[in-house]
Amino acid sequence: MAGDDGRGSDAGDDEPGSDTAGGSPAVTRVEVPVDTRASGGTTNAYLLDGLLVDPAARTDALDEAVAERGAADAVAPAVEAIAVTHTHPDHVGAVAEYAAATGATVVAREGRVDRFAAATGVDPDETVAPGETVADTGVRVVDTPGHAPDHVAFAAGEPGAGSEPPAGGSGRSALCCGDLAVAEGSVAVAAPEGDLAAYLASLERVRDAGYDRLLPGHGPAIDDPAATCDRLIEHRRARERDVVAAIDAGAADLDAVVDGAYEKDLSGVRDLALATVAAHVEKLVGEGRVDEAWRARLADAGFD
């Protein structure tokens, strides 16, 4: 869990800044204060083996974690590469600064170089595709679109290798999953970029892969990936049922669908609820489950 300086470990013993080796991924988590709508107001930056993931802002705590990895007596690998799970502003703010400070290889998802450069201010040194490893780190790229079209996750260790993780370690495998999953609450999948069909498929693939631990972009580590993925899938399916019920009851525009699909007070988050409902309606139209006329209604609401 997080310490007073914003640092934490998802590597095994939960002491700030600790790492593991000997077969388990070396993981350090640093909570970085950023301008984000995620609860807690922070984004997790990770040092996953030799990869720095999602340096959202430059902080003393993250500087210290990076420096410890570069020390002569360090057990865990030094930072060899920098990458992001996706290019939303609350995940990319210090890519340029840490690239300059460490000299690490900056890596972007293949086919998304322009988007990466625009978001980070850095032209990547290399690109990677899902299934490939990041530079020389041994960390693998996993395709997880849905929350964002360029979303990926980063895997260390082999999932599903056995029934019990090593004693005192973080497990055989960890997936740094960005905004695919959270330990509590739900993840925003919002139009126009959010793709609910892709998001649900990503959750199903990650659930079925058998990772020992998920390392999310916000909040604490997830120690039961399958149960969490199932919970998030059911949350989206339940919201979809509410959206369909609102349309069947006569809702004729997105505002009316939101009113019918949500019972809670939406003060301060109604814009996000509208974008979420729009993503649900896009999925339903694509599946032929609601009338094609909803495409025009989405466009009228600014979601096209």
Side-chain angles (χ1 to χ4, degrees), residues 74-159:
V75 175
V79 174
E80 301 172 12
I82 301 171
V84 299
T85 55
H86 60 298
T87 52
H88 284 171
D90 59 336
H91 288 256
V92 303
V95 169
E97 290 181 80
Y98 283 104
T102 64
T105 300
V106 177
V107 180
R109 178 176 179 151
E110 185 177 82
R112 301 288 182 174
V113 169
D114 290 346
R115 181 182 172 104
F116 179 92
T120 65
V122 179
D123 291 323
D125 300 306
E126 297 180 4
T127 61
V128 289
E132 297 178 345
T133 57
V134 181
D136 296 324
T137 66
V139 176
R140 301 182 310 283
V141 181
V142 177
D143 195 24
T144 53
H147 174 75
D150 59 343
H151 200 290
V152 294
F154 299 100
E158 291 297 330

Side-chain angles (χ1 to χ4, degrees), residues 17-210:
S18 68
D19 297 301
T20 61
S24 293
V27 181
T28 303
R29 174 171 60 93
V30 180
E31 295 176 68
V32 177
V34 290
D35 183 10
T36 177
R37 297 183 77 168
S39 61
T42 62
T43 293
N44 292 328
Y46 290 97
L47 291 98
L48 180 64
D49 287 341
L51 178 65
L52 173 59
V53 179
D54 288 353
R58 188 159 190 182
T59 67
D60 290 344
L62 188 51
D63 281 354
E64 182 181 347
V66 169
E68 285 181 0
R69 288 294 187 96
D73 59 351
V75 175
V79 174
E80 301 172 12
I82 301 171
V84 299
T85 55
H86 60 298
T87 52
H88 284 171
D90 59 336
H91 288 256
V92 303
V95 169
E97 290 181 80
Y98 283 104
T102 64
T105 300
V106 177
V107 180
R109 178 176 179 151
E110 185 177 82
R112 301 288 182 174
V113 169
D114 290 346
R115 181 182 172 104
F116 179 92
T120 65
V122 179
D123 291 323
D125 300 306
E126 297 180 4
T127 61
V128 289
E132 297 178 345
T133 57
V134 181
D136 296 324
T137 66
V139 176
R140 301 182 310 283
V141 181
V142 177
D143 195 24
T144 53
H147 174 75
D150 59 343
H151 200 290
V152 294
F154 299 100
E158 291 297 330
S163 59
E164 294 295 333
S170 63
R172 297 166 307 279
S173 59
L175 184 72
C176 186
C177 67
D179 286 354
L180 175 72
V182 285
E184 298 178 352
S186 61
V187 171
V189 183
E193 286 203 334
D195 183 327
L196 269 170
Y199 178 70
L200 292 170
S202 293
L203 284 172
E204 290 170 354
R205 285 196 304 274
V206 167
R207 176 196 63 195
D208 295 344

Side-chain angles (χ1 to χ4, degrees), residues 153-295:
F154 299 100
E158 291 297 330
S163 59
E164 294 295 333
S170 63
R172 297 166 307 279
S173 59
L175 184 72
C176 186
C177 67
D179 286 354
L180 175 72
V182 285
E184 298 178 352
S186 61
V187 171
V189 183
E193 286 203 334
D195 183 327
L196 269 170
Y199 178 70
L200 292 170
S202 293
L203 284 172
E204 290 170 354
R205 285 196 304 274
V206 167
R207 176 196 63 195
D208 295 344
Y211 294 99
D212 295 302
R213 176 171 274 199
L214 302 183
L215 308 174
H218 306 279
I222 296 167
D223 291 319
D224 192 343
T228 296
C229 289
D230 280 339
R231 175 181 63 79
L232 292 168
I233 290 167
E234 176 52 30
H235 172 78
R236 284 292 154 214
R237 288 176 175 163
R239 181 68 68 211
E240 183 175 276
R241 291 192 291 270
D242 292 338
V243 169
V244 171
I247 292 172
D248 287 346
D253 57 32
L254 282 183
D255 277 305
V257 177
V258 169
D259 291 338
Y262 287 85
E263 295 181 355
K264 66 181 181 180
D265 180 11
L266 296 175
S267 299
V269 294
R270 188 173 179 86
D271 61 328
L272 186 56
L274 277 166
T276 298
V277 165
H280 277 283
V281 173
E282 286 177 349
K283 176 177 178 290
L284 292 166
V285 171
E287 294 170 347
R289 296 171 58 194
V290 299
D291 194 279
E292 280 284 330
W294 277 98
R295 291 194 189 276

